[in-house]
Each structure stands twice: as structure tokens, then as C-alpha cells.
Amino acid sequence: MRAASDRSPLRPIEHPEPTVSVVVPTIPANDHDAVVDCLREQTAAAYEVLVVDDATLDICEARNTGILGARGDVVALTDDDCRPPRDWLAHVEAAFDRDPDLVCLEGAVHGGRTYDGERRYVGCNLAFDREAAIAVGGFRPAFAGWRDDTEFGWRMERDADGRCAYRDDVRMHHPEPPRATLDEALEARLRREYPDRYEAVLVPDTLRGRVNDWLWRKGVWNLVDRVRYDLPNAVGLDR
């Protein structure tokens, strides 16, 4: 894995010997001040924050640039539209301290997106051993924008020398619905490359699950989410 940009990441929070490096990939159109403000309030002591703000990079290249620039043994990812609770990094550190074999850690997400740990490795709340991530090749730009985090997590399961786990106490607040939309070509590629994991993790095993999955693929749930989040804003504007 090589750096995808000659630009150095921004370091709004520095530490001489960080235990954890937080990487926030962003683009110039997105404001990252709010997430950095949340990160300044973390109860953990030894951490740094790297913001990769480069419009020439895709999301995977931005994450890889941050990973290579990180100084901590553990890298924690979040997004510019997330709001980390004050104890987020403390729980990340505790999980890796308790389990020396842990190489990849996923946590819960609440708000505009809900995630409870189904081996999908949501990139807005993901932490991992830096050297292990580099050894497996980091994030693959071929999947940029769709399931790139899931593909990375499955590769860590398969290729990294260690254990992947989920912890509910490693929590992230995602205020708005996700920005990503279904990419059918990348979804098909993921299924071809990881048939067993795809079947076990992403294919529903109940009638209700299959119906929900079909509605999601047809865009119905995205429409419901837009109504759910846009209507309160519209009501507020009318007042």
C-alpha cells in the first residue's frame, strides 16, 4: 500500500506518542470542524487526529493516506458527518488492551444510520491494528464508494494474523442518513470475490429479511429515510 497523495494530512490534534490515531477522510465541500470539536473532548489521553482533505482522492485513497501517516499502533476511522461520544476512543483503547489478538474492531452506530455489528464493518466506526491493515493492502480503491469498508473488514478476517470483533460499547453517533447509494456492479463484484461471506452476512435467511432486502435494493427505504429526515426540517422552516 502506498500513499495516494503528496499532500500531508491535516493534524488538528497532535500528540508526541499517540496510542490511537483517528483518521477522518473528507473533501473540501464538507465541513469537518464539528467532528474535530467532538474529538477534542475525548476522555482518552494519548491520541492524534488526522484529517485527509483532498478532492483528488477517493474515500479509499484518503483512508490509506491517513493510515500511512498515522503514528499510533491503532487507527480509528470515523467520518466528517459523525459525532463521536466523549468515551469513544477510551472504549477503543480498552478493547485493544484487553485482547492482544484483536486486529479489527467494529462498533455500534446510532442516529441516521443504525448498526449493531453484523460483520459489515461500517467505516464510520471502525478501528484496527495499523500494521495489520497495511499488510493486507489497506482499503481497495476498486470498491470506493460502495462496500469498501465491508470488503476491507472481510479481508482483515481472512488475511490478517489476529481476530476481528464487535463491541457495543464502542459507539458512534451518525446524525444524518448515509450518503452512499447502491452500486449494483460493485455489489455483484463483492459477491463474486467473497461468495461464502456474502452469503453468510448479506443474504437474508428469513422471509421478512428477504422482503426488506428487496425493498432496500429498489430504493424504497432510501425514500422513507428522506421523508423521515426532511419532513421535520421542513416543519421547522415553516415555523
Side-chain angles (χ1 to χ4, degrees), residues 122-136:
V122 176
C124 70
N125 191 10
L126 191 62
F128 43 82
D129 180 274
R130 178 178 178 272
E131 293 301 325
I134 292 173
V136 303

Side-chain angles (χ1 to χ4, degrees), residues 170-233:
V170 179
R171 303 171 74 82
M172 179 61 60
H173 183 57
H174 195 305
E176 302 295 331
R179 293 189 287 251
T181 55
L182 173 64
D183 186 314
E184 293 184 0
L186 289 181
E187 185 79 356
R189 178 172 182 172
L190 186 71
R191 188 167 198 162
R192 287 195 307 271
E193 292 193 14
Y194 300 88
D196 293 339
R197 285 178 171 82
Y198 192 99
E199 183 73 24
V201 176
L202 297 180
V203 176
D205 57 3
T206 66
L207 177 59
R208 180 179 179 180
R210 289 193 292 272
V211 170
N212 282 334
D213 185 69
W214 183 86
L215 291 171
W216 167 73
R217 291 175 188 275
K218 295 299 181 182
V220 174
W221 293 135
N222 287 338
L223 178 60
V224 170
D225 282 342
R226 282 198 296 272
V227 172
R228 176 187 172 194
Y229 285 93
D230 290 347
L231 184 58
N233 293 333

Side-chain angles (χ1 to χ4, degrees), residues 53-156:
D53 186 351
D54 190 338
T56 68
L57 304 179
D58 63 41
I59 184 68
C60 294
E61 292 169 335
R63 286 170 174 161
N64 289 342
T65 297
I67 292 167
L68 291 172
R71 299 182 181 126
D73 291 335
V74 173
V75 173
L77 293 183
T78 193
D79 292 338
D80 54 25
D81 56 352
C82 290
R83 303 294 179 262
R86 294 183 71 245
D87 59 358
W88 176 56
L89 286 181
H91 285 296
V92 169
E93 287 185 4
F96 280 90
D97 287 344
R98 281 192 299 265
D99 187 353
D101 293 326
L102 184 64
V103 293
C104 189
L105 174 69
E106 56 174 350
V109 181
H110 299 285
R113 174 170 195 169
T114 299
Y115 180 72
D116 294 318
E118 299 92 19
R119 294 174 59 208
R120 301 187 185 198
Y121 299 97
V122 176
C124 70
N125 191 10
L126 191 62
F128 43 82
D129 180 274
R130 178 178 178 272
E131 293 301 325
I134 292 173
V136 303
F139 287 81
R140 289 173 62 189
F143 282 93
W146 185 250
R147 303 272 201 213
D148 46 83
D149 40 12
T150 304
E151 193 277 334
F152 169 80
W154 289 356
R155 200 157 15 94
M156 289 287 279

